[in-house]
Amino acid sequence: MVSTERTVPEFKTDSVELDKEEGLMLYEDMVLGRTFEDKCAEMYYRGKMFGFVHLYNGQEAVSTGVIRSMRPGEDFVTSTYRDHVHALSAGVPAKEVMAELFGKETGCSKGRGGSMHMFSKEHNLLGGFAFVAEGIPVATGAAFQAKYRREVMGDENADQVSACFFGDGASNNGQFFECLNMAALWKLPMIYVVENNKWAIGMAHDRATSQPEIYKKASVFGMTGVEVDGMDVLAVRAAAQEAVARARAGEGPTLIEALTYRFRGHSLADPDELRSPEEKEFWQARDPITRFATYLTEHDLATSEELKAIDQKIQQEIEEAVDLAQSSPEPDPSELRRYIFAEE
Ligand SMILES: Cc1ncc(C[n+]2csc(CCOP(=O)(O)OP(=O)(O)O)c2C)c(N)n1
Ligand SMILES: [Mg+2]
């Protein structure tokens, strides 16, 4: 089956309000994600990182569109094992994410986590999780504590929103349904973002679920569910802005289903032989970065020189991140058990 059959909802850009500064910020964030991960692939194949490494190429508009519509560093984010780009959008410096991938002490999880366990207290990134769907209850808990602080303990400043990112495969997991129930019941400030890239390793989404239109599952809980073109950062941003406003106003959670695609195999160890060339070409033609670059130039928000300058700046930043990762020390074996519990 070719996963091109479901019509992607068209997003009309007529009512989009976007100034140059924000346009360039969104572009830069997506380029950062893409360039960072292309470098990861290079470093992985050169034997610089170990274990499984899952890349996000193709899905950048989802991370950027949602996280950059929140208050990075203040609001909460949880991810999956495909977590590097969510960490970058949340503001974790590229050098800390790269060092973590190299298993170094300077990594955001002090080299103890690796690719699938990015964490940053400072940025309220509550983790990448290797277990499918594991971030969903964690983010739901973060949303619960914000609501509890605000409404029960009277802390006016506790208006944080939580977003959790997970895949189409994860949406068949029990934790998804349990958490949607609680979030709707208690009107939690939650945004559930399902990144439907049509595949769970080698399992086609349409073969694995009774209702492939995941956003419709929200209605069972009386929750708002929306589908968006996940290859269009402006469409994702519009859906996210509405969801953030709803959550912040105490009106409860939203389920956003972003229709997207990963341009690489499930992990860097996957030969990616199951997906058809036609399917890959269909989605490749919708590359969110090329598409947004065209939007910016056509709407006189940027020149191609300005975009090129951003590309070069990011390239430089990634080179510096690799240098730091290479030159940093590994964790000391005598500190093997350090950071298992929070330190005073
Ligand atoms: C609880 C659990 N079951 C099974 C696995 C093995 N596994 C790793 S990734 C994956 C597929 C998940 O697909 P999806 O949620 O669509 O995310 P994607 O990889 O497409 O981003 C599975 C089954 C796991 N990591 N955790
Ligand atoms: Mg998937």
Side-chain angles (χ1 to χ4, degrees):
M1 188 188 303
V2 178
S3 299
T4 52
E5 287 152 18
R6 179 169 164 191
T7 321
V8 177
E10 199 194 333
F11 178 69
K12 299 247 186 303
T13 53
D14 315 348
S15 57
V16 167
E17 279 182 34
L18 183 74
D19 61 22
K20 183 177 178 114
E21 192 186 348
E22 195 184 354
L24 293 181
M25 178 275 287
L26 296 173
Y27 177 80
E28 181 169 328
D29 195 57
M30 287 198 289
V31 171
L32 173 65
R34 177 71 56 89
T35 315
F36 183 93
E37 298 240 301
D38 285 345
K39 185 55 88 178
C40 285
E42 189 190 322
M43 291 294 133
Y44 179 87
Y45 291 124
R46 281 169 53 184
K48 300 284 183 190
M49 35 184 95
F50 307 96
F52 287 108
V53 175
H54 309 80
L55 299 190
Y56 192 73
N57 293 58
Q59 301 184 202
E60 294 88 352
V62 187
S63 178
T64 299
V66 174
I67 299 177
R68 291 306 175 112
S69 300
M70 301 171 73
R71 293 183 197 147
E74 228 176 278
D75 291 327
F76 296 96
V77 172
T78 67
S79 180
T80 64
Y81 41 83
R82 210 178 290 289
D83 58 351
H84 318 152
V85 176
H86 297 132
L88 295 169
S89 291
V92 184
K95 57 183 191 316
E96 290 185 22
V97 182
M98 191 64 85
E100 190 55 42
L101 277 154
F102 278 61
K104 299 297 184 74
E105 185 72 36
T106 48
C108 59
S109 306
K110 313 284 186 209
R112 271 72 165 176
S115 169
M116 301 192 264
H117 303 101
M118 297 296 160
F119 175 83
S120 173
K121 183 173 180 232
E122 187 190 339
H123 299 91
N124 280 349
L125 172 73
L126 300 180
F129 294 87
F131 289 99
V132 168
E134 200 65 38
I136 304 176
V138 174
T140 305
F144 178 81
Q145 65 82 33
K147 186 166 173 100
Y148 191 88
R149 277 174 204 258
R150 189 168 172 173
E151 293 183 6
V152 181
M153 302 176 78
D155 179 354
E156 284 299 315
N157 296 323
D159 67 345
Q160 295 93 342
V161 172
S162 298
C164 78
F165 294 85
F166 52 97
D168 43 283
S171 74
N172 293 321
N173 186 298
Q175 298 184 83
F176 169 71
F177 300 98
E178 291 176 44
C179 288
L180 257 63
N181 177 56
M182 286 186 275
L185 178 68
W186 294 326
K187 285 197 165 31
L188 299 185
M190 262 309 301
I191 310 177
Y192 295 99
V193 185
V194 52
E195 304 196 48
N196 184 354
N197 62 11
K198 325 294 179 287
W199 291 86
I201 311 185
M203 172 57 77
H205 177 59
D206 296 358
R207 288 183 61 210
T209 192
S210 58
Q211 170 49 277
E213 292 174 275
I214 303 166
Y215 76 100
K216 290 188 176 166
K217 290 175 179 164
S219 68
V220 177
F221 303 97
M223 185 188 298
T224 306
V226 289
E227 61 172 344
V228 289
D229 181 352
M231 308 303 266
D232 181 349
V233 71
L234 294 177
V236 178
R237 172 178 169 267
Q241 285 175 339
E242 262 186 46
V244 169
R246 183 178 300 119
R248 213 119 29 224
E251 291 163 15
T254 305
L255 172 64
I256 297 176
E257 180 184 7
L259 298 169
T260 183
Y261 202 70
R262 56 171 160 75
F263 290 165
R264 293 178 181 269
H266 173 72
S267 75
L268 285 173
D270 172 15
D272 193 22
E273 287 162 345
L274 289 167
R275 305 183 304 165
S276 71
E278 301 83 65
E279 181 180 295
K280 290 180 195 175
E281 277 161 30
F282 175 89
W283 291 97
Q284 195 81 50
R286 286 158 180 74
D287 188 317
I289 299 180
T290 327
R291 186 159 159 187
F292 190 52
T294 307
Y295 177 90
L296 289 174
T297 47
E298 281 180 357
H299 288 77
D300 291 327
L301 288 166
T303 63
S304 51
E305 286 73 29
E306 283 172 312
L307 300 183
K308 231 175 267 160
I310 290 176
D311 297 350
Q312 281 162 359
K313 185 182 99 176
I314 295 297
Q315 196 72 47
Q316 180 65 29
E317 191 179 328
I318 303 299
E319 292 303 333
E320 287 166 16
V322 170
D323 287 347
L324 177 99
Q326 306 236 58
S327 59
S328 294
E330 288 182 349
D332 192 315
S334 70
E335 294 200 324
L336 183 66
R337 294 185 185 84
R338 200 173 165 198
Y339 305 122
I340 290 176
F341 297 106
E343 295 180 353
E344 291 302 308

